[in-house]
Amino acid sequence: MKGIKQIAIGIAFLLVFLTACKEQKSTQTEKNIEQKVEQLLQQMTLEEKLGQMNQISPFGDDEAIKEGVKNGTIGSILNIIEPNQVNELQRIALEESRLGIPILIARDVIHGFKTIFPIPLGQAATFNPITVEYGARIAAIEASSVGIQWTFAPMIDISRDPRWGRIAESLGEDPYLASTLGSAMVRGFQGDSLHLPTAIAACPKHFVGYGASEGGKDYNSTFIPERQLRNVYLPPFEAAAQAGAATFMTSFNDNDGIPATANSFVLKDILRDEWNFDGIVVTDWASAAEMITHGFVADDKEATEKSVNAGVDMEMVSGMFIRRIPELIKEGKVKEQTINQAVRNILRIKFRLGLFDNPYVDEQAPSPFYNAHHLEAAKQMAVESMILLKNEKETLPLSTDIKTLAVVGPMADAPHDQLGTWIFDGDKQYTQTPLAALKKEFGDQFNILYEPGLEFSRDRNTKHFPQAVNIAQKADAVVLFLGEEAILTGEAHSLADINLVGAQSELVKVLAQTGKPLITVIMAGRPLAIEQEVKLSDAVLYSFHPGTMGGPALVDLLFGKEVPSGKTPVTFPKTSGQIPIYYAHNNTGRPATGNELLLDQIPLEAGQTSLGNTSFHLDAGFHPLFPFGYGLSYTTFEYSNIQLSANQLKEHEVLTISFDLENTGKLRGTEIAQLYVRDVVGSITRPIKELKRYKRVTLDPKEKQKVTFELPIKELAFWNIDLKRVVEPGEFHLWVAPHSAATGEPLVFEVI
Ligand code: BGC
């Protein structure tokens, strides 16, 4: 016994020693890097410096690009993905350019490179940082194998407007969820060290406020006051910076009249001075030049001046910096120190990535694309991302003893569309659709009848409906795959109305009339307003565009090999008119009670004040269709015995919340338990609830587990009336719950 103890102590010492050595080594490496950056900087001409700040996208003239690399006028290239091309350009950079500075190769690797994972909004529905980090790791392994060293992800714009097409790329509406998952992505892309060959630099974007674009129209203006910016929109970016993100990208929007690309308050005061970020700030695609169109600057010279002076290091694609900075320096409008600082930031990241040692890719290495392991991980993430919204009479899981299954709908076999938005490199030939997966798994076991009914989601032609009804009538159950094509989501693809497009709603109606069990599966890039479709279906499974392995994942869920566990990462409105709608809203002076009379219930000539005066819509009420954090399972869970470690705490203390979670159903399943807190009285009004912790807990039937959350009280801080980040003493309410709208008496504690 004593011997074991001594060995354990020995190992502990060794670990501490090794960690200390590792830390010492990394500070030394960092010191070396800074020295090398300075040495290099001293040798650089102004033109070479500006070259580093210049990012191009191939313009078709290979010789001109090679010439640019040789002359040192190109620092980064996005969108080249051929290993031999990458290697040739890196060779020219290293061997033929005067100073031998490697090129930084970039690409949008948003939710997978070749193996496509669920869209980020689907990833957010997993509430699982481990799965999300692993997905990013695999994306990095595949992307780095062709020479990509930098991805423009994660996209962590808080998104509270499902009309906005880019909500698909986001991690949803909640700052805490987006912070935890966004930093998981950063860790996944960058791996243990940027220096490793499979690490790619992450680029949290779009900095900042882009998700609040007016009316959900892309590229539009935002009006976010500083307090809200700090309380809602900045936290995921701060978390990403703390996770070591190597680069940041500015956003397209102007906030309160200032385009993000020229906003020195966020780019310098916050990002550099408050968060100590020392990586690269890159513009979005020509976002500096677009400040002319915004009407913020007169021409590209002024655009250059404003963005460089605001703290931008690298300009994406317009070539403005390299063209205009020399005269700006001559005129004293831009200082050479400013340029030196930008170049330092760029070189630092190139050194950290190990590009000076080896920027090449091994063209002979076996390709990691779509390997079995990657496909399995993509399937697992897809399983975890799907949300069971309704399951009446235990319609799901389906029994494998059925004789005939009718498969209907335009998304049942849509290999391109189920991949979702931002797929530059995923090949649809590798997509496994639900129809293909069903046939593969059960083709020999029961009859599978297929009639899409509509050829694509926008199709309004109902001529195939009779055939869809016909196969439904012959079947034991109908699985209807609806949703939206990938092109209806993503950048610049906003909608004014988030109902199902085309004649999909009519298809639900005719199939519901058959009286057969109707399971509706929605594959989409945003929460859609599906109130009627949910009513008409017996079960609804929501799958944000699920990627390459969406089909097998869905089949496992439909037939109970897997049990759904995803939860909504955004509030689902009943109708577009409820937008913006999010759970962490302020209370107002007249909150809705839930008992309000709606349009059809109001007596004729009712008196003006007879309905009560609260904050709601006469035609839509107050509640969403599904709240944030919502999702059912094939089993049931019960929360009990919630206990707090203390009822009065000081700011430096940690509150421990414990509770029992029991699986009260018949199947093994996973619950995502959520912790919400309300700061009851603040120096400014505070949200009615805020997510502070979540945990995935897997339980066997009848198993009961004690679950704990640790909540440092300092995490209750917010930016208050004096624009200070403080924990304000007073009463707090707390809920441990299966979703954000779970009612019930809160537990109370006090911060003193
Ligand atoms: C998008 C960015 C993207 C960039 C490069 C822009 O249009 O807004 O998110 O990273 O293009 O492709």
Side-chain angles (χ1 to χ4, degrees), residues 164-166 169 210 217-219 487-494:
W164 190 46
R166 300 199 82 168
E169 287 171 62
Y210 188 33
K217 292 190 293 279
D218 209 359
Y219 314 122
I487 193 66
L488 304 185
T489 75
E491 184 172 346
H493 302 158
S494 296

Side-chain angles (χ1 to χ4, degrees), residues 78 108 152 166 205-206 249 252 284-285 316 422 491:
L78 74 149
D108 289 276
F152 300 129
R166 300 199 82 168
K205 67 186 188 185
H206 307 82
M249 183 190 288
F252 283 126
D284 201 344
W285 186 281
M316 193 188 288
W422 277 111
E491 184 172 346

